[in-house]
Amino acid sequence: YSRAGAVTVTSTGNITTAGSKSYGISTYSSTGATTVTSTGNITTAGTKAYGIVAINNGTGAITVTSTGNITTAGSNAIGIEAVSFRGGAVTVTSTGNISTTGNNASGIYAGSFGGPVTVTINSGTVSGGSGSGVGVTLGGGSNSTLTNFGTVTALSGVAIQGAANNTVNNFGVVTGNVALGSGTNAFNNMAGGFFNSGATVNLGAGNVLTNAGTLSPGGAGAIQTTALTGNLVQSATGRLLTDINI
């Protein structure tokens, strides 16, 4: 916690909490940059007991790097939340699994009121909870980018949600609905990537889903109709995988 300078937290061990609002790691800065590095596992069980919270009320950048696993079981218990309220750049990098099984609990929430937002999932599964839970939420920002090499999903069925201008680059697996809202948006399903789309994929009118990997409504073995708001561009390497109920 700082009102006048930078905040740096480095955690190498495991963290377990049990009570309501019992965060694993919590940081706040009014002016300086915020840096959180966690290499151990974080487990919480209470309501609104976030795994990692990094808040900046100034223009300083926020950088959160997690290489361990994060597990939350309570309602509204986000795995990683990183938010800048004055337009600072927000960067979140996850390598382990993030599992949030509670009602209205999201895996990652990253947002900035005016600055860029970058989320990178290097490996592992990021899973949101039930209700209004989301796998990854890009909450505002001038331009937001999610690059996924792992798996993104949610018990609610909403894998990715965003506001403002969003770009999703999927090299891994995304399963569920996608709602990027208004703004200039793009979903790039890269070669080798799997997009198991849910009932709705809303990129905004005129925005583009480019498929160079495998686009499979509902995933293999499921009968699913996907309503796409936006345009679909199928590249030379792109495949459309469907199941037919006969």
Side-chain angles (χ1 to χ4, degrees), residues 60-146:
I62 297 176
T63 303
V64 177
T65 303
S66 173
T67 59
N69 299 324
I70 298 175
T71 303
T72 74
S75 62
N76 298 287
I78 296 172
I80 297 176
E81 180 182 60
V83 178
S84 172
F85 289 101
R86 295 290 187 272
V90 174
T91 301
V92 175
T93 304
S94 174
T95 302
N97 298 319
I98 300 178
S99 174
T100 58
T101 58
N103 193 44
N104 306 328
S106 293
I108 296 174
Y109 183 100
S112 175
F113 287 76
V117 174
T118 303
V119 175
T120 303
I121 301 169
N122 286 322
S123 63
T125 296
V126 177
S127 178
S130 57
S132 61
V134 180
V136 176
T137 296
L138 304 171
S142 54
N143 292 285
S144 299
T145 302
L146 166 62

Side-chain angles (χ1 to χ4, degrees), residues 6-37:
V7 174
T8 300
V9 174
T10 301
S11 175
T12 58
N14 298 329
I15 298 172
T16 302
T17 73
S20 176
K21 297 183 180 179
S22 297
Y23 307 140
I25 297 172
S26 178
T27 69
Y28 175 89
S29 175
S30 291
T31 56
T34 299
T35 303
V36 177
T37 304

Side-chain angles (χ1 to χ4, degrees), residues 100-193:
T100 58
T101 58
N103 193 44
N104 306 328
S106 293
I108 296 174
Y109 183 100
S112 175
F113 287 76
V117 174
T118 303
V119 175
T120 303
I121 301 169
N122 286 322
S123 63
T125 296
V126 177
S127 178
S130 57
S132 61
V134 180
V136 176
T137 296
L138 304 171
S142 54
N143 292 285
S144 299
T145 302
L146 166 62
T147 302
N148 174 51
F149 294 93
T151 297
V152 180
T153 187
L155 296 175
S156 68
V158 182
I160 301 170
Q161 181 174 274
N165 304 314
N166 306 281
T167 299
V168 177
N169 298 313
N170 178 48
F171 295 86
V173 179
V174 173
T175 299
N177 299 330
V178 173
L180 300 186
S182 61
T184 302
N185 304 310
F187 191 113
N188 301 312
N189 195 41
M190 313 299 272

Side-chain angles (χ1 to χ4, degrees), residues 159-243:
I160 301 170
Q161 181 174 274
N165 304 314
N166 306 281
T167 299
V168 177
N169 298 313
N170 178 48
F171 295 86
V173 179
V174 173
T175 299
N177 299 330
V178 173
L180 300 186
S182 61
T184 302
N185 304 310
F187 191 113
N188 301 312
N189 195 41
M190 313 299 272
F194 285 80
F195 181 20
N196 303 320
S197 56
T200 59
V201 175
N202 184 359
L203 306 183
N207 292 317
V208 177
L209 164 59
T210 301
N211 181 41
T214 300
L215 174 60
S216 177
I223 304 299
Q224 176 71 64
T225 299
T226 297
L228 171 64
T229 301
N231 300 322
L232 173 63
V233 173
Q234 188 84 345
S235 78
T237 61
R239 299 190 305 160
L240 179 61
L241 177 63
T242 61
D243 287 270

